[in-house]
Amino acid sequence: DQQVKQNSPSLSVQEGRISILNCDYTNSMFDYFLWYKKYPAEGPTFLISISSIKDKNEDGRFTVFLNKSAKHLSLHIVPSQPGDSAVYFCAASDLGNDMRFGAGTRLTVKP
Amino acid sequence: GAGVSQSPRYKVAKRGQDVALRCDPISGHVSLFWYQQALGQGPEFLTYFQNEAQLDKSGLPSDRFFAERPEGSVSTLKIQRTQQEDSAVYLCASRGGAIQETQYFGPGTRLLVL
């Protein structure tokens, strides 16, 4: 069963515009959420996280929003840059130790 | 080194062959995780160590998969009698002491079973 879902396999945006990546989860016990970025032939790199006690966390151009009632989180990148082109994974954990990952969204930022 | 390292980076195995994948976590990191990532999918949890203790191996897909971390540092994931469906990227991640600290991933080992 896929507890974390990223329904958009790909997203293309123009440089300078906002990128919005979405993630849905089914397990209400999840209380910590992360976004990872992955370039080809590299491991995932941590980008930003949010605890379930918050609804927003911001770090520079990256903001993660959490809607617990809808079991939905999103990652906003603004302004988007060509170097942001990568696969983005959403992950969630329930204070246990294994994280559940979504299938990823490939973001392409066009110059 | 500063990050998690894994070796080999690429491994081609004949079906039925045994393979061993190595992970060197970030120095001092207590927790170590193994994930399997199939093509086009996100990483799937395999097993977790806290120091040398394997606390969770619920994600190991079969008894052909075995992981160890005898001294609480380097870990080895062993796959016996490899099958074609074992072809994937195997990712290792390590984490410091607190539960909600971030997991830091290595570059992965891409395994291809022919």
Side-chain angles (χ1 to χ4, degrees), chain A:
Chain A
D1 64 336
Q2 203 168 5
Q3 298 186 42
V4 178
K5 296 180 182 179
Q6 294 176 255
N7 291 320
S8 297
S10 63
L11 174 68
S12 181
V13 301
Q14 208 66 34
E15 181 179 7
R17 308 295 285 267
I18 185 171
S19 296
I20 300 177
L21 296 98
N22 293 302
C23 178
D24 296 290
Y25 62 96
T26 58
N27 187 343
S28 58
M29 298 300 291
F30 287 145
D31 57 5
Y32 193 62
F33 305 89
L34 308 91
W35 284 94
Y36 282 84
K37 176 180 178 180
K38 186 180 183 304
Y39 292 116
E42 295 183 11
T45 303
F46 171 72
L47 194 56
I48 193 169
S49 64
I50 188 167
S51 164
S52 60
I53 63 173
K54 295 185 175 181
D55 55 17
K56 176 182 175 180
N57 188 26
E58 192 172 350
D59 183 2
R61 298 186 295 112
F62 303 91
T63 303
V64 55
F65 295 92
L66 175 63
N67 182 333
K68 284 187 66 177
S69 61
K71 295 191 180 67
H72 177 85
L73 66 156
S74 61
L75 174 68
H76 292 209
I77 306 173
V78 56
S80 303
Q81 299 174 354
D84 296 329
S85 298
V87 177
Y88 289 78
F89 291 100
C90 167
S93 73
D94 62 356
L95 258 192
N97 293 291
D98 58 333
M99 282 196 299
R100 303 285 178 168
F101 283 82
T105 297
R106 180 178 300 278
L107 173 65
T108 302
V109 180
K110 298 179 179 178

Side-chain angles (χ1 to χ4, degrees), chain A residues 2 31-32 34 36 38 41-46 49 51 89 93 95-104, chain B residues 9-10 33 35 37 40-45 48 56 58 91 95 99-108:
Chain A
Q2 203 168 5
D31 57 5
Y32 193 62
L34 308 91
Y36 282 84
K38 186 180 183 304
E42 295 183 11
T45 303
F46 171 72
S49 64
S51 164
F89 291 100
S93 73
L95 258 192
N97 293 291
D98 58 333
M99 282 196 299
R100 303 285 178 168
F101 283 82
Chain B
R9 291 294 311 275
Y10 302 92
F33 303 80
Y35 292 85
Q37 185 178 12
Q41 300 297 317
E44 297 268 353
F45 170 80
Y48 155 65
D56 187 346
S58 62
L91 293 163
R95 185 183 71 196
I99 290 177
Q100 287 194 346
E101 280 191 28
T102 303
Q103 293 185 24
Y104 295 91
F105 283 84

Side-chain angles (χ1 to χ4, degrees), chain B residues 23-69:
Chain B
C23 173
D24 282 87
I26 293 172
S27 178
H29 273 194
V30 170
S31 302
L32 185 145
F33 303 80
W34 282 99
Y35 292 85
Q36 180 190 60
Q37 185 178 12
L39 192 64
Q41 300 297 317
E44 297 268 353
F45 170 80
L46 293 177
T47 187
Y48 155 65
F49 289 86
Q50 185 169 311
N51 295 306
E52 69 277 4
Q54 188 175 18
L55 299 186
D56 187 346
K57 54 182 180 179
S58 62
L60 296 176
S62 78
D63 59 7
R64 296 185 296 104
F65 286 70
F66 172 76
E68 60 184 5
R69 194 186 185 198

